[in-house]
Amino acid sequence: MLDILPAADHVAAFRITGTLDEPDFDRLIAEIEAKLERHEKLGILADLSGFEDMTFRAGVKDARYGFGKLAQLRRFPREALVTDKGWIETLVAIASPLVPFVEVRSFKPAEFDAALAWASEIEGGPNA
């Protein structure tokens, strides 16, 4: 299940619980694309505290969308993942230095407000 969370307009903030399916992923992408029409850069916040899995079709769409955005990584300068899952924290620690132009950090659930604030702090502002 996907919940779109309130955030500054230049931040796409989501809470994913249970299993993310294709309609949820379509809503997530629609939200990001709508915000990209209004801003050059977006902060991303994903609360994955209750995340369990993703359907195959959602995973395929995720991979396709991600590869399609490789040339636009500068548009996503900060990505905050809120999680209490060690395997996600490990992936963030490994992947963060490998993703050019993007700072990725993990935060504990109790640090949600700090994660949202950090994701919204875009150097030069969202239209730089």
Side-chain angles (χ1 to χ4, degrees):
M1 175 190 294
L2 172 77
D3 293 313
I4 298 171
L5 303 175
D9 194 55
H10 68 282
V11 177
F14 308 99
R15 177 172 292 119
I16 301 171
T17 56
T19 299
L20 183 72
D21 62 17
E22 188 176 14
D24 286 337
F25 189 78
D26 290 343
R27 285 181 48 232
L28 185 147
I29 295 309
E31 178 75 4
I32 290 173
E33 289 299 317
K35 287 179 179 263
L36 284 173
E37 287 179 17
R38 297 189 298 271
H39 301 284
E40 182 59 29
K41 296 178 183 176
L42 291 183
I44 303 290
L45 178 131
D47 183 345
L48 303 176
S49 301
F51 174 74
E52 294 173 12
D53 202 357
M54 145 183 321
T55 65
F56 177 77
R57 292 179 65 95
V60 169
K61 280 192 169 189
D62 183 25
R64 189 177 311 144
Y65 185 75
F67 283 122
K69 290 295 185 196
L70 284 176
Q72 298 180 35
L73 288 178
R74 282 187 165 91
R75 297 191 75 185
F76 305 95
R78 287 200 164 179
E79 296 184 12
L81 300 177
V82 177
T83 185
D84 54 0
K85 294 170 179 50
W87 66 270
I88 293 175
E89 292 171 335
T90 300
L91 282 176
V92 168
I94 292 169
S96 183
L98 303 175
V99 182
F101 315 115
V102 182
E103 283 183 89
V104 184
R105 282 184 51 188
S106 63
F107 294 82
K108 295 291 186 188
E111 300 172 309
F112 180 89
D113 291 339
L116 184 57
W118 181 82
S120 71
E121 296 169 0
I122 296 174
E123 186 176 335
N127 295 312

